[in-house]
Amino acid sequence: MMNMQSMMKQAQKLQKQMQASQEEIANTTFVGKSAQDLVTAEFTGERKLTSLTIKSDIIDPEDPDTLQDLVVDAVNDALAQIEKITEQKMGKFSKGLPF
């Protein structure tokens, strides 16, 4: 059986690893793209939109729906990337824990 001091050291080590992973994710830029890269959306790992680029080719006053769809696609692509990386980096810390 592990002694309490050893368990505390292990918990502190795990906590530092979790914090380092969280900081790494937060400091990463995620770029989501729509079809043909007509719209790109950049997010921080904290899910804050930092840039939205729309190529002028797609701007058509007669067809705002296409532009809206491309923006949604780019944003969702970036958010999916953040979710995937977060699960990969942080999921290992919660495996086996009862919730």
Side-chain angles (χ1 to χ4, degrees), residues 17-31 43-48 50 78-93:
Q17 290 172 341
M18 285 177 61
Q19 287 174 335
S21 291
Q22 287 172 330
E23 287 176 20
E24 183 181 346
I25 293 167
N27 292 325
T28 301
T29 299
F30 295 86
V31 180
F43 281 82
T44 67
E46 295 175 322
R47 294 172 176 79
K48 291 183 183 173
T50 58
L79 292 174
Q81 290 176 40
I82 295 169
E83 188 65 32
K84 180 180 177 182
I85 294 297
T86 300
E87 178 59 34
Q88 287 174 352
K89 292 187 180 285
M90 301 305 293
K92 63 185 175 192
F93 296 112

Side-chain angles (χ1 to χ4, degrees), residues 2-14:
M2 275 191 183
N3 65 31
M4 188 61 110
Q5 187 176 18
S6 176
M7 285 183 5
M8 291 299 291
K9 283 183 181 180
Q10 188 175 6
Q12 288 173 339
K13 181 181 174 184
L14 186 62

Side-chain angles (χ1 to χ4, degrees), residues 32-96:
K33 298 178 180 184
S34 69
Q36 302 169 354
D37 299 342
L38 295 170
V39 176
T40 59
E42 289 186 15
F43 281 82
T44 67
E46 295 175 322
R47 294 172 176 79
K48 291 183 183 173
L49 181 65
T50 58
S51 173
L52 182 66
T53 305
I54 301 170
K55 291 193 176 176
S56 59
D57 308 6
I58 194 62
I59 300 172
D60 180 358
E62 302 297 317
D63 184 17
D65 292 339
T66 297
L67 179 56
Q68 291 169 1
D69 291 343
L70 291 170
V71 169
V72 169
D73 288 347
V75 168
N76 286 336
D77 181 42
L79 292 174
Q81 290 176 40
I82 295 169
E83 188 65 32
K84 180 180 177 182
I85 294 297
T86 300
E87 178 59 34
Q88 287 174 352
K89 292 187 180 285
M90 301 305 293
K92 63 185 175 192
F93 296 112
S94 62
K95 285 185 180 168

